[in-house]
Amino acid sequence: MHRYRMFIDGQFVDADDNWFDSYNPFTGQVWAQIAQGDADDVDLAVRAAHRSFNEGAWHDMSASQRGRLMHRLGDLIEREARRLAEIEVLDNGKLISEMESQLNYIPQWFYYFGGLADKIQGSVIPLDKKGYVNFTRREPLGVVAAITPWNSPLLLTAWKVAPALAAGCTLVLKPSEFTSASTLEFVRLFEEAGFPPGVINVVTGGKEVGAALIEHPLVDKIAFTGSDATGRVVNRAAADRFKHVSLELGGKSPNIVFDDAKLDDAVNGAISGIFAASGQTCIAGSRLLLQRSIHDEFMQRLLALAGTARLGDPLSAETQVGPITTRQQYDKVLSYIQIAQQEGARLRLGGGPASCGNGWFVQPTIFDRVDNRMRIAQEEVFGPVLAVIPFDDEQEAVAIANDSCYGLGAGVWTSDIGRAFRMSERIRSGTVWVNTYRAVSYMSPFGGYKQSGIGRENGMDAVDEYLQTKSIWINTGASTSNPFTIR
Ligand code: ADP
């Protein structure tokens, strides 16, 4: 049995011999134990981060030195990619091929944001008033609490840690209680890269640890990825204490296929949009909007291909669809399948548990004759369940696409360049993919419209989420003769 301890102020620490279990979703068995943190551990970690922000080696370091450490960290992640990917597969059941490509990609976040660290600069403002020089400094916010979910533990951690370090912040991480192991292995690399103690800390546990963290008075910013229900709790706690916050929440993303699209590409895009990672991604293309003129032909091709999906061991290169990460999520996905049937959607594929060892598997499931007002079209399932909705023309497609409380991603499949532009302007979501789906990069801003979130991760915009601007006024000589006037 593997045991993982928390990481506070540069030391691995246990929690008075309190541990909780981490399950392998493929076997349904416990594979590791994680230290059960509490509010006292949160306090120690936040204080360590606060100290490291305010004094000592990290505080005194130049931005270029910070960038070099981040570069070294990127190299170490590259060295450890396969091992970290395997831990993630054991913990969350996603396919080794996907986790390996994620882990091989993560170093880029540290290279890109490491390169950005010494290019963060303010400006000199040519004031309307004589006798002053006014300029701005862009300063780090301080201590960042980064709270992450179970579906892509290290990728989503990197999306927060890299820009926060570039800005000069320090962090306390709270990984999901279902997938804490890879984060604890990841932070080992910080010491080897040369980061001073306290810059990064990890406290493990469930919502009680998250709650202590978001309420801690020395936390300046909360960066959160997870469900919209928890996002609401985080946003409220941030509001009460005027903390900065960024939230990356749920989605019910439309994947829209027009009759002028290359249908084979669109079928592949529809399948990877919903069945990759067993649908457990916030950007899952869970609503497939099909133009009526191609509806039946498209369905035929879609069902034929989706029906060939190979379920199995996520560590095997042959497997195409893995298990659901947690038992609770497995139950939730199955309950949505029942709800869809009760609402009158027509089941065309799957529709229940898949038997595959002792793992928590759900069959790839497709419903058509879905009305966009049904719960299966409005609520995030976070599983391999696709809702197919017909439409007649562009206007109707936009209306259905935007009739959602979410706005994270959208796909548009068309050969008409004008239509591609029109659709990408009119859809209210943080990302629109044309003739592709699920593409992300460290260079491209990512985030949600509406209830899909606040703020942006990735790209140049991301570093702004960890900075604040100070305005500095220098009187170049003339002092005011009347102290009661404001100049
Ligand atoms: P998911 O099921 O997608 O992981 P959650 O929103 O439940 O979504 O969890 C995301 C992260 O938020 C996890 O690390 C979880 O422990 C944490 N969390 C859950 N509830 C709270 C809370 N009340 N306060 C702070 N963090 C929380």
Side-chain angles (χ1 to χ4, degrees):
M1 180 71 64
H2 301 260
R3 276 194 162 173
Y4 289 93
R5 296 187 296 164
M6 295 181 287
F7 189 65
I8 299 176
D9 206 9
Q11 306 286 329
F12 281 95
V13 294
D14 50 31
D16 303 329
D17 217 22
N18 283 327
W19 305 90
F20 63 92
D21 294 334
S22 207
Y23 287 82
N24 177 340
F26 176 58
T27 62
Q29 303 294 314
V30 176
W31 79 277
Q33 288 190 313
I34 315 287
Q36 172 63 61
D38 60 19
D40 290 340
D41 299 308
V42 167
D43 187 53
L44 286 173
V46 173
R47 285 183 192 284
H50 187 250
R51 250 190 332 273
S52 174
F53 181 72
N54 284 298
E55 62 197 56
W58 181 251
H59 175 264
D60 295 341
M61 202 175 276
S62 74
S64 303
Q65 285 172 316
R66 253 193 346 255
R68 275 201 294 280
L69 290 188
M70 292 177 68
H71 238 270
R72 249 181 257 154
L73 181 67
D75 290 344
L76 295 177
I77 299 169
E78 194 167 38
R79 190 189 75 191
E80 300 296 321
R82 171 78 198 185
R83 197 170 63 84
L84 293 169
E86 280 177 6
I87 293 171
E88 297 222 320
V89 175
L90 290 176
D91 233 3
N92 80 3
K94 273 168 74 162
L95 303 186
I96 185 68
S97 51
E98 172 162 9
M99 283 337 226
E100 237 185 325
S101 66
Q102 272 191 14
L103 264 296
N104 282 321
Y105 200 25
I106 288 175
Q108 300 303 326
W109 267 262
F110 293 92
Y111 301 146
Y112 175 84
F113 286 101
L116 197 58
D118 59 8
K119 289 151 202 84
I120 295 167
Q121 45 197 14
S123 52
V124 178
I125 294 163
L127 279 186
D128 59 325
K129 300 178 195 303
K130 283 205 184 326
Y132 289 104
V133 172
N134 179 232
F135 63 97
T136 61
R137 280 168 54 81
R138 301 185 68 217
E139 298 186 343
L141 288 177
V143 176
V144 175
I147 301 179
T148 43
W150 43 257
N151 61 330
S152 285
L154 283 183
L155 185 73
L156 299 174
T157 300
W159 289 15
K160 296 162 183 55
V161 172
L165 292 176
C169 294
T170 57
L171 296 111
V172 179
L173 313 183
K174 210 301 278 172
S176 167
E177 57 274 36
F178 299 108
T179 56
S180 304
S182 60
T183 304
L184 291 162
E185 285 292 338
F186 165 64
V187 294
R188 256 178 217 290
L189 306 176
F190 277 71
E191 192 183 8
E192 195 179 341
F195 283 85
V199 173
I200 194 128
N201 306 271
V202 186
V203 186
T204 42
K207 65 199 273 187
E208 65 300 334
V209 170
L213 190 53
I214 60 181
E215 281 163 18
H216 198 293
L218 294 179
V219 167
D220 300 289
K221 146 104 195 184
I222 307 164
F224 173 83
T225 301
S227 62
D228 40 332
T230 307
R232 216 165 262 126
V233 173
V234 170
N235 207 17
R236 276 200 204 106
D240 278 350
R241 294 161 189 81
F242 303 102
K243 294 180 194 296
H244 296 255
V245 67
S246 48
L247 303 167
E248 202 264 275
L249 309 173
K252 195 75 202 177
S253 300
N255 209 353
I256 307 168
V257 187
F258 287 95
D259 59 7
D260 58 21
K262 288 185 181 156
L263 292 196
D264 284 338
D265 292 351
V267 168
N268 286 340
I271 286 187
S272 75
I274 188 65
F275 298 131
S278 301
Q280 301 172 102
T281 65
C282 50
I283 50 177
S286 50
R287 289 186 294 156
L288 178 65
L289 275 54
L290 294 182
Q291 197 158 21
R292 264 184 227 280
S293 43
I294 48 140
H295 180 280
D296 292 351
E297 184 191 345
F298 196 94
M299 283 302 291
Q300 240 175 25
R301 294 196 202 188
L302 179 72
L303 292 167
L305 193 57
T308 66
R310 279 191 304 274
L311 281 62
D313 183 350
L315 275 173
S316 153
E318 305 296 300
T319 301
Q320 292 173 318
V321 177
I324 302 296
T325 301
T326 72
R327 175 79 215 199
Q328 291 94 312
Q329 186 60 23
Y330 169 81
D331 292 338
K332 182 177 159 195
V333 174
L334 292 176
S335 80
Y336 268 108
I337 291 174
Q338 278 184 352
I339 290 167
Q341 282 170 310
Q342 285 155 8
E343 287 181 308
R346 179 169 67 162
L347 180 66
R348 299 297 303 273
L349 187 74
S355 72
C356 191
N358 293 322
W360 302 317
F361 282 85
V362 174
Q363 295 170 328
T365 295
I366 299 178
F367 286 100
D368 68 2
R369 298 197 185 150
V370 174
D371 183 296
N372 199 53
R373 280 161 297 188
M374 292 178 181
R375 287 181 64 191
I376 196 68
Q378 289 290 330
E379 298 175 19
E380 187 177 46
V381 176
F382 222 67
V385 181
L386 181 64
V388 180
I389 305 169
F391 68 90
D392 282 317
D393 55 18
E394 259 179 65
Q395 201 177 340
E396 193 187 4
V398 170
I400 296 171
N402 287 341
D403 177 17
S404 170
C405 66
Y406 295 113
L408 195 57
V412 177
W413 299 85
T414 178
S415 304
D416 177 341
I417 184 74
R419 172 174 274 164
F421 277 106
R422 286 193 300 276
M423 291 298 291
S424 51
E425 279 176 19
R426 292 171 67 194
I427 292 173
R428 296 202 18 91
S429 65
T431 299
V432 177
W433 291 286
V434 177
N435 295 332
T436 184
Y437 203 84
R438 268 187 110 224
V440 292
S441 164
Y442 52 92
M443 292 184 180
S444 180
F446 178 90
Y449 278 31
K450 301 190 265 182
Q451 289 184 34
S452 288
I454 296 175
R456 290 293 174 268
E457 301 195 284
N458 306 339
M460 307 270 274
D461 299 36
V463 81
D464 293 338
E465 305 281 343
Y466 298 92
L467 293 166
Q468 58 192 337
T469 302
K470 179 180 281 171
S471 176
I472 297 168
W473 294 68
I474 312 273
N475 183 341
T476 57
S479 65
T480 165
S481 51
N482 179 353
F484 296 102
T485 58
I486 296 169
R487 297 197 69 194

